[in-house]
Amino acid sequence: MTNPSDIVWHDHTVDRATREKNLAQRGLVVWFTGLSGCGKSTIANELDHQLNQRSRATMLLDGDNIRHGLCAPPERLKTEHNEAFAERFGLGFGAMDREENIRRIGSVAALMASAGLITLTAFVSPYRADRDRVRTIVEAAGQSGDFLEVFVDTPLEVCETRDPKGLYKKARAGEIKNFTGISDPYEAPKHAEIHLQYRDGTTPSDQAAEVLQALIERKVFL
């Protein structure tokens, strides 16, 4: 089948409203974005914990974890596939690869939200257009308000001080190309639903609780 018109959407007997009713919650995507080391993965993980303490159905998609499978780089795919396959479907870290990385994640996150899950994602996702495209994907599968952008606004100098994986040190030494904040740009959100601004003494648990309160106010729990 090479004609796009041959690909037809198949409606299911169990619809989204039924799944959400069974889970007593609205499915949606909470998209954490920010520089490497800003704390987005840690906060998302803490929020996941806080939601599960409330017996909520969730899924957490993390940037590094996704790169082990769905969005693996060519080098990883070469261990199981031939070089041509790896080069075609593996994703590096250039602008086009990052765009496809976020497109894949956005589509998966939209499917999970359609299943009624509170879907948390933690990705640098440096380009505003890519994040806006994900918003469109998610809301097209549901409704306006199903995509919450959370900007973890931690200054670059703080992220560099943390540098948990030593990536900034390598980027400064020229060992890593296309590194966001150093050799590649980060386009901060202009109108994020939730803005977690860095403050001394604020813990990941505090910031996760702030996002949780926003979910409560948006009546995500039915």
Side-chain angles (χ1 to χ4, degrees), residues 135 139 147-150 191-195 218:
R135 181 186 295 273
E139 294 187 345
F147 180 90
L148 298 182
E149 188 174 41
V150 181
H191 306 291
E193 280 78 10
I194 303 170
H195 186 175
R218 285 172 170 77

Side-chain angles (χ1 to χ4, degrees), residues 136-157:
T136 299
I137 292 171
V138 171
E139 294 187 345
Q143 60 182 336
S144 177
D146 283 350
F147 180 90
L148 298 182
E149 188 174 41
V150 181
F151 178 28
V152 185
D153 188 2
T154 305
L156 175 61
E157 56 270 22

Side-chain angles (χ1 to χ4, degrees), residues 16 39 56 91 94 137 221:
R16 178 171 182 159
R56 295 300 172 180
L91 297 180
I137 292 171
F221 311 134

Side-chain angles (χ1 to χ4, degrees), residues 205-218:
S205 180
D206 295 333
Q207 292 176 300
E210 188 175 334
V211 180
L212 176 60
Q213 183 58 37
L215 295 180
I216 293 171
E217 292 171 358
R218 285 172 170 77

Side-chain angles (χ1 to χ4, degrees), residues 16 26-33 99 101-111 113-114 119 121 125 127-151 186-195 218:
R16 178 171 182 159
R26 272 180 51 209
L28 81 167
V29 174
V30 183
W31 190 277
F32 290 84
T33 177
E99 179 179 341
N101 180 55
I102 298 306
R103 187 197 68 81
R104 292 184 192 180
I105 299 309
S107 296
V108 170
L111 288 172
S114 294
T119 309
T121 76
S125 45
Y127 304 124
R128 199 173 295 123
D130 293 344
R131 299 192 302 268
D132 289 345
R133 192 176 296 113
V134 172
R135 181 186 295 273
T136 299
I137 292 171
V138 171
E139 294 187 345
Q143 60 182 336
S144 177
D146 283 350
F147 180 90
L148 298 182
E149 188 174 41
V150 181
F151 178 28
Y186 176 77
E187 298 173 358
K190 290 183 176 180
H191 306 291
E193 280 78 10
I194 303 170
H195 186 175
R218 285 172 170 77

Side-chain angles (χ1 to χ4, degrees), residues 23-216:
L23 294 171
Q25 63 184 42
R26 272 180 51 209
L28 81 167
V29 174
V30 183
W31 190 277
F32 290 84
T33 177
L35 294 170
S36 178
C38 70
K40 58 188 175 298
S41 292
T42 304
I43 299 166
N45 186 60
E46 177 59 29
L47 176 60
D48 195 30
H49 175 63
Q50 292 182 14
L51 286 166
N52 275 270
Q53 285 186 316
R54 290 170 167 257
S55 300
R56 295 300 172 180
T58 66
M59 185 60 195
L60 172 57
L61 304 175
D62 180 79
D64 279 355
N65 293 353
I66 291 295
R67 286 284 187 171
H68 281 76
L70 180 65
C71 299
E75 293 73 16
R76 182 173 291 273
L77 292 183
K78 286 176 185 177
T79 63
E80 297 182 14
H81 304 275
N82 64 43
E83 188 167 346
F85 181 99
E87 291 301 326
R88 180 175 179 183
F89 297 109
L91 297 180
F93 293 90
M96 190 177 296
D97 294 70
R98 287 178 182 270
E99 179 179 341
E100 173 60 10
N101 180 55
I102 298 306
R103 187 197 68 81
R104 292 184 192 180
I105 299 309
S107 296
V108 170
L111 288 172
M112 291 183 170
S114 294
L117 298 179
I118 298 172
T119 309
L120 314 177
T121 76
F123 294 86
V124 173
S125 45
Y127 304 124
R128 199 173 295 123
D130 293 344
R131 299 192 302 268
D132 289 345
R133 192 176 296 113
V134 172
R135 181 186 295 273
T136 299
I137 292 171
V138 171
E139 294 187 345
Q143 60 182 336
S144 177
D146 283 350
F147 180 90
L148 298 182
E149 188 174 41
V150 181
F151 178 28
V152 185
D153 188 2
T154 305
L156 175 61
E157 56 270 22
V158 175
C159 296
E160 283 203 70
T161 299
R162 293 173 176 173
D163 203 10
K165 292 176 280 189
L167 300 180
Y168 282 103
K169 184 177 181 180
K170 290 181 179 180
R172 290 292 188 188
E175 297 174 23
I176 299 179
K177 307 298 182 184
N178 309 119
F179 193 79
T180 302
I182 304 299
S183 52
D184 262 18
Y186 176 77
E187 298 173 358
K190 290 183 176 180
H191 306 291
E193 280 78 10
I194 303 170
H195 186 175
L196 298 179
Q197 197 150 17
Y198 174 79
R199 298 187 299 274
D200 275 333
T202 301
T203 68
S205 180
D206 295 333
Q207 292 176 300
E210 188 175 334
V211 180
L212 176 60
Q213 183 58 37
L215 295 180
I216 293 171

